[in-house]
Amino acid sequence: MLIDHPLLGPRDASEFIYMGDAKLLNRPNWKSQNSKTKFLDYGYLRKNPAGVHKELWYHEQGDRSWLLVTRNTVTHEILKVELARDTKGK
Amino acid sequence: MAKLDLKIKKPLDGYSKVINQIKIAEYQFDNLISLAIPLKTERKCKLNFKKSLGEPMPNIEKSIINKSGILGFRIGLDLLLVCNPSHSSFVKKTVPSLKQAFYITDQTGGWCGVRVDGDRVIEMLERICPLNLSQKIFAIGDVKRTIMDHLNVIIFRETEKKFVLFSPSSSSGSFLKSIEISSRNI
């Protein structure tokens, strides 16, 4: 599988580490009213869809960047790759 | 007290061999340091890099070589490596100058360099390297960090058929073995 890195071009997936669901980018506010429930959701609950999924990949054997990859988990087709730093909070 | 004569021992002890017309030799250097760009100071770092090394700070996956033969590699948006093969005033002058803008870590003992050179070098590398080595994609002077035989490697293209591969010195023996085996099997 090739991941088309936004800065470096297509790179072999062996250079990356899969770091899970991209919901980890949106950490709940600990001051919010139901923060306990939100953190339970943030820490443990995942949708695990069969289809389009936004996920985090870390380019460990490369430039050490974090990527937000939109991938179809059924076909493994990669639909979009962005730098996580450019998308956080959007 | 006995007078000790200390000598630096390189990870591959000066290894050099030719296999299938590919010359494989340890690439020796005196110093290797990493430069990290502190948050929101890229402009200051660019000016400092130019002042310290006499060359502009390279773009990502590009390199520079200055008049003294010092190499600078940019391997990430905020990370560079500077390799000094043998310039004598590097530690006394260049490093203190770079310290004024960058976070610096000495990595001299952490990395081992191997130079591979020869007409069949691409055939040998294609067996272990997942990168596209065509010159359109990986031009002379480019540098990339990747994985070869499960080991972290920084690959630098010196000429069309000459590369320097930096791997962690702790696993340099295993990496050299992969290079030797790949060279034999082309």
Side-chain angles (χ1 to χ4, degrees):
Chain A
M1 192 165 78
L2 288 175
I3 296 179
D4 196 1
H5 193 294
L7 300 173
L8 316 177
R11 300 295 279 260
D12 196 275
S14 63
E15 292 181 3
F16 297 82
I17 299 179
Y18 175 72
M19 300 299 277
D21 193 314
K23 78 186 285 186
L24 291 170
L25 286 173
N26 298 308
R27 189 180 174 85
N29 182 352
W30 64 273
K31 290 178 188 169
S32 65
Q33 272 192 336
N34 50 351
S35 59
K36 215 181 229 181
T37 317
K38 284 180 180 170
F39 268 101
L40 174 74
D41 182 18
Y42 175 77
Y44 297 105
L45 304 180
R46 300 289 177 263
K47 285 184 180 160
N48 195 23
V52 175
H53 187 221
K54 286 195 167 186
E55 47 203 32
L56 290 169
W57 289 73
Y58 178 56
H59 198 192
E60 193 191 28
Q61 310 292 357
D63 70 337
R64 308 286 167 109
S65 57
W66 286 79
L67 302 181
L68 175 60
V69 175
T70 309
R71 182 175 68 98
N72 187 321
T73 56
V74 178
T75 62
H76 296 301
E77 183 187 5
I78 290 178
L79 306 162
K80 197 175 181 186
V81 185
E82 302 156 272
L83 285 174
R85 63 194 279 170
D86 294 342
T87 62
K88 193 174 179 312
K90 280 184 185 173
Chain B
M1 192 175 157
K3 193 184 169 196
L4 298 172
D5 185 17
L6 300 176
K7 284 182 183 170
I8 298 169
K9 193 175 178 188
K10 297 292 179 185
L12 298 175
D13 212 10
Y15 174 97
S16 178
K17 206 173 191 177
V18 178
I19 301 173
N20 269 336
Q21 298 145 41
I22 297 169
K23 186 176 180 196
I24 306 162
E26 183 169 10
Y27 175 80
Q28 302 202 19
F29 51 85
D30 286 351
N31 315 92
L32 185 80
I33 58 170
S34 68
L35 312 179
I37 300 175
L39 202 60
K40 296 176 184 169
T41 64
E42 177 151 349
R43 196 166 168 272
K44 183 185 171 191
C45 287
K46 275 185 177 171
L47 294 170
N48 176 285
F49 192 94
K50 171 85 178 160
K51 190 185 104 190
S52 306
L53 292 165
E55 293 288 334
M57 191 162 85
N59 286 328
I60 193 162
E61 296 204 327
K62 301 287 177 189
S63 68
I64 57 99
I65 179 163
N66 79 357
K67 283 181 195 166
S68 310
I70 297 170
L71 295 157
F73 305 135
R74 186 150 181 193
I75 55 172
L77 272 181
D78 53 3
L79 190 65
L80 296 108
L81 287 179
V82 175
C83 178
N84 170 39
S86 58
H87 188 55
S88 57
S89 65
F90 182 78
V91 175
K92 283 187 180 166
K93 285 186 181 172
T94 314
V95 174
S97 173
L98 289 166
K99 255 186 191 167
Q100 290 171 13
F102 295 93
Y103 295 133
I104 291 184
T105 311
D106 183 15
Q107 303 207 9
T108 309
W111 294 88
C112 168
V114 178
R115 180 182 266 144
V116 287
D117 175 15
D119 283 345
R120 303 187 73 188
V121 74
I122 302 287
E123 287 171 73
M124 181 278 281
L125 285 172
E126 276 176 345
R127 299 179 64 87
I128 52 173
C129 176
L131 297 172
N132 182 344
L133 297 169
S134 104
Q135 275 207 75
K136 281 183 192 166
I137 306 291
F138 192 1
I140 292 168
D142 281 6
V143 61
K144 290 174 191 284
R145 187 177 202 154
T146 187
I147 190 164
M148 294 188 202
D149 233 2
H150 310 290
L151 298 167
N152 174 17
V153 176
I154 293 168
I155 175 168
F156 168 55
R157 186 171 212 154
E158 287 187 301
T159 68
E160 188 190 347
K161 290 172 183 171
K162 194 194 283 186
F163 295 81
V164 179
L165 313 170
F166 293 93
S167 72
S169 55
S170 56
S171 52
S172 57
S174 305
F175 184 53
L176 179 64
K177 195 176 172 189
S178 322
I179 296 172
E180 285 181 332
I181 291 171
S182 183
S183 302
R184 277 192 211 109
N185 288 340
I186 54 177

